[in-house]
Amino acid sequence: MLLMALLAIAGASQDVGPLEPGRAGKLQCYGPNVAAKTCTAIGAYRFDADGTIWNDARNMINASPQIVLHATGKVYVKNGAECAHPENRAEEITRIDLNGAPLEGAQFTTVRQQIADNINLVLGEGEFCSTYTPNIDGTLKAAGTITRLARPEFESVALWVEPNAGWTLAPPVN
């Protein structure tokens, strides 16, 4: 009992750097459209007593047909960046919605593996890290690296938002 209490205190005092707003309950909105309160991806963070950090993400990967990917993966903070080194991307994909309905059975398994294979082609097997730099408008510039090599094509905009503020997923505004 005492050990669990000590682990909980240690986990609460752990420096989570750029993910501190997530520990406070905020959601991370990628591709924010502030006027419409929409995001192309929304991530929530969970912090276990043992120090493990989980990212629960919903990503709109296609507008028509609408495809929303739900995934859960371990992340960690390294040198001020949020990093991940997925062991099995297919297993991290927990649900795929097609026009609002979840795929099931063999269809889910097949599509999940296809998506994971495509992500592996783009990201490879390396460590993916994101740094967050404040922009003048209150958003953050999210810059990505793979195995310490800058990947400018993964640069995006992020914003911490309150979970009850009505933010939803939507395709990017062109």
Side-chain angles (χ1 to χ4, degrees):
M1 182 73 99
L2 178 60
L3 178 60
M4 292 306 289
L6 290 173
L7 284 173
I9 291 169
S13 65
Q14 171 192 18
D15 177 18
V16 296
L19 302 181
E20 193 61 46
R23 180 166 43 196
K26 289 190 173 186
L27 303 176
Q28 196 174 49
C29 167
Y30 273 83
N33 177 331
V34 176
K37 284 192 169 182
T38 62
C39 314
T40 58
I42 298 174
Y45 292 87
R46 292 181 285 126
F47 299 82
D48 289 350
D50 68 0
T52 302
I53 305 170
W54 296 94
N55 176 279
D56 299 311
R58 293 178 293 136
N59 302 275
M60 180 165 289
I61 61 173
N62 199 62
S64 184
Q66 186 184 76
I67 301 172
V68 176
L69 177 85
H70 300 253
T72 296
K74 287 183 186 180
V75 299
Y76 51 93
V77 175
K78 179 179 173 182
N79 299 324
E82 174 187 2
C83 299
H85 196 274
E87 295 172 16
N88 184 336
R89 286 193 172 98
E91 292 300 317
E92 290 182 354
I93 298 170
T94 58
R95 185 170 130 187
I96 301 167
D97 294 341
L98 176 62
N99 292 324
L103 298 181
E104 297 179 346
Q107 186 182 28
F108 168 71
T109 302
T110 300
V111 173
R112 174 173 72 170
Q113 189 60 55
Q114 290 171 344
I115 292 171
D117 290 346
N118 286 334
I119 293 170
N120 285 334
L121 283 174
V122 173
L123 298 182
E125 298 297 323
E127 175 185 58
F128 185 85
C129 294
S130 295
T131 57
Y132 302 99
T133 307
N135 291 320
I136 198 160
D137 65 357
T139 62
L140 301 166
K141 172 185 163 187
T145 62
I146 297 178
T147 314
R148 296 181 305 280
L149 297 175
R151 295 293 295 267
E153 68 272 28
F154 297 130
E155 189 175 296
S156 59
V157 176
L159 177 67
W160 288 103
V161 299
E162 294 294 338
N164 56 357
W167 289 80
T168 61
L169 287 178
V173 176
N174 293 333

